[in-house]
Amino acid sequence: MDLEKLPKQQTLEMRKRLIGQSCRLFYSDNPVKIVRARGQYLFDESGERYLDCISNVQHVGHCHPSITKAAAEQMDILNTNSRFLHDNIVLYAERLAASLPKNLSVFYFVNSGSEANDLALRLAQQYTQHEDVIVLDHAYHGHLKSLIDISPYKFRKLTGQKEWVHVAPLPDTYHGTFREDHPNPGQAYADTVRDLIEQVHRKGRKISSFFAESLPSVGGQVIFPQGYFPLVAEYVRSAGGVFVADEVQTGFGRVGSHFWAFQLQGEDFCPDIVTMGKPMGNGHPLACVATTAEIAGAFTANGVEYFNTFGGNPVSCAIGLAVLEVIEKEDLKGNAKRVGAHLKELLKKLQTQHLVIGDVSMEDAELVVQRMDSILKEMEANILQ
């Protein structure tokens, strides 16, 4: 059956009947039926073109020819699981390692950011032999049960907070307790984590990890104050825990000035575990956990094999390698920096015209756009009309 030729209303009726209703559609009152895409554009069944400002996984543009070529060529040769020896997984891991601090030298490939964060939680708890986790208020780390438990954005609507989960204030210098006029907001917010650790210890519990997105996504694209991550890492490590940087949304050059958003906290800062996902496969299900040899060794020492059927398969890794090539060849990190700065300037102009705009919170590109100057030209024309 050619689904593109189903009348839109029939497609909608079938979806309502066959797909769980908690799986919601964009624009639910009048859903857009998308049948193809190219670059920054989506096209509906009537050929109407839309500028895609919603999708956050097509990191180098929809249907980029280099990505589709790499996927098709590898699919035509071999796709199998990672327990067979194959070049792609090690070549891809080597390329990722080159972008990270040297201590992050061991990789586990999975299929989604949720899987990556679940594995990071397992790594942290196995290494430390502690259970408790500190997370930031409003955080969202994935849809698995283990991650709902450490995501205030979700658990407050469901079963509530577990006794082994502890919520620290979001270090927001615009809305939060310590604001831009504070002499050292990074220290002040980090000290709230130190105080929380002390509270946990008084209860006779131990910290396994501190989980944080390098730039909170659901939490509002908050730019953390300088010094916050290094101080938190110092407090957490002193308590026997590890620092986990969730880069599922923010990695691969999206902040423009750096390849990883945690690097905004200083070139010398290195998490103990980094998770990555959405942008790395350009829409293909591909995700990863990077960690130290010491943490990986403790995970191996438990005697239980870790096996992921599809994680790190030859096709996924071929796609991942192709994405890295496009990012480099098309200077997408530099483009994100330039285009993001231009967009920030436009929004700052709007801020002077509208009192309702209290702050323009962006760090270079800061996840608003990744590429295509045409996006900004169209946005500028629409905004300034």
Side-chain angles (χ1 to χ4, degrees):
M1 179 186 294
D2 187 349
L3 294 181
E4 289 188 12
K5 294 185 178 179
L6 287 176
K8 176 180 173 179
Q9 190 58 37
Q10 184 179 350
T11 305
L12 182 58
E13 290 171 357
M14 290 176 68
R15 178 167 177 125
K16 288 179 178 178
R17 175 166 51 86
L18 297 168
I19 307 300
Q21 290 302 292
S22 58
C23 302
R24 297 177 181 175
L25 287 165
F26 288 131
Y27 314 113
S28 56
D29 291 341
N30 184 23
V32 181
K33 182 179 179 181
I34 299 300
V35 299
R36 63 186 181 92
R38 180 69 60 176
Q40 71 272 41
Y41 294 114
L42 301 170
F43 298 86
D44 69 14
E45 76 285 359
S46 65
E48 184 73 25
R49 187 179 73 172
Y50 299 85
L51 181 66
D52 186 1
C53 294
I54 293 179
S55 299
N56 62 350
V57 294
Q58 280 75 26
H59 193 54
V60 302
H62 290 277
C63 304
H64 192 291
S66 296
I67 311 303
T68 55
K69 181 174 183 289
E73 287 182 351
Q74 184 58 55
M75 183 68 79
D76 194 48
I77 297 169
L78 170 72
N79 199 29
T80 186
N81 67 57
S82 55
R83 284 201 283 193
F84 288 105
L85 189 63
H86 194 271
D87 289 346
N88 286 9
I89 190 171
V90 294
L91 293 173
Y92 188 35
E94 185 177 53
R95 285 289 300 275
L96 288 174
S99 72
L100 289 160
K102 64 179 181 180
N103 287 349
L104 297 170
S105 59
V106 182
F107 298 83
Y108 299 87
F109 290 99
V110 293
N111 308 293
S112 70
S114 290
E115 282 192 28
N117 281 334
D118 177 77
L119 178 56
L121 184 60
R122 289 179 59 189
L123 287 166
Q125 291 176 335
Q126 175 66 34
Y127 174 70
T128 64
Q129 292 297 293
H130 303 156
E131 180 182 23
D132 290 34
V133 178
I134 296 176
V135 295
L136 294 178
D137 205 0
H138 309 296
Y140 174 64
H141 293 290
H143 63 79
L144 299 180
K145 185 179 184 303
S146 62
L147 305 176
I148 297 297
D149 287 344
I150 65 168
S151 298
Y153 172 69
K154 290 289 186 180
F155 70 58
R156 286 187 175 133
K157 301 174 185 177
L158 297 169
T159 57
Q161 187 172 338
K162 300 291 192 295
E163 64 174 352
W164 54 273
V165 177
H166 312 280
V167 180
L170 182 65
D172 184 347
T173 58
Y174 179 67
H175 292 102
T177 304
F178 308 109
R179 304 196 175 187
E180 291 179 351
D181 58 357
H182 190 280
N184 192 343
Q187 179 77 63
Y189 277 113
D191 287 350
T192 65
V193 177
R194 179 201 60 197
D195 295 344
L196 189 56
I197 291 171
E198 291 175 357
Q199 293 174 28
V200 172
H201 287 175
R202 285 196 292 270
K203 295 176 182 178
R205 306 186 68 89
K206 299 291 186 180
I207 296 294
S208 73
S209 52
F210 172 86
F211 258 78
E213 288 184 276
S214 299
L215 287 175
S217 300
V218 170
Q221 311 302 343
V222 175
I223 310 298
F224 292 151
Q226 281 300 305
Y228 176 71
F229 272 7
L231 285 167
V232 168
E234 179 184 337
Y235 296 149
V236 170
R237 289 165 182 161
S238 294
V242 298
F243 189 107
V244 182
D246 180 343
E247 292 271 345
V248 170
Q249 298 258 33
T250 59
F252 294 85
R254 284 182 161 179
V255 296
S257 57
H258 299 81
F259 202 78
W260 304 103
F262 70 78
Q263 293 169 330
L264 295 170
Q265 288 283 305
E267 296 293 341
D268 295 333
F269 175 67
C270 179
D272 301 296
I273 302 173
V274 173
T275 62
M276 55 194 82
K278 290 182 188 297
M280 67 190 298
N282 207 52
H284 181 83
L286 174 61
C288 184
V289 179
T291 191
T292 66
E294 186 178 7
I295 292 173
F299 193 58
T300 302
N302 70 9
V304 178
E305 176 192 19
Y306 177 75
F307 173 58
N308 188 303
T309 302
F310 302 109
N313 69 75
V315 170
S316 293
C317 291
I319 290 170
L321 282 163
V323 168
L324 293 180
E325 289 289 339
V326 172
I327 292 172
E328 182 176 346
K329 287 181 178 178
E330 298 187 12
D331 187 27
L332 296 188
K333 186 163 72 74
N335 191 71
K337 184 178 179 70
R338 293 186 296 273
V339 173
H342 179 52
L343 179 57
K344 184 174 183 178
E345 181 182 353
L346 294 176
L347 294 173
K348 285 287 189 182
K349 289 179 181 178
L350 285 178
Q351 186 181 13
T352 65
Q353 301 169 26
H354 303 281
L355 293 177
V356 72
I357 303 175
D359 185 37
V360 177
S361 178
M362 299 172 64
E363 177 69 31
D364 300 318
E366 222 255 10
L367 309 181
V368 178
V369 288
Q370 169 64 22
R371 68 193 304 262
M372 305 287 186
D373 287 339
S374 59
I375 290 179
L376 263 295
K377 292 174 183 176
E378 292 196 26
M379 289 182 73
E380 182 177 11
N382 291 331
I383 290 171
L384 299 180
Q385 277 181 353

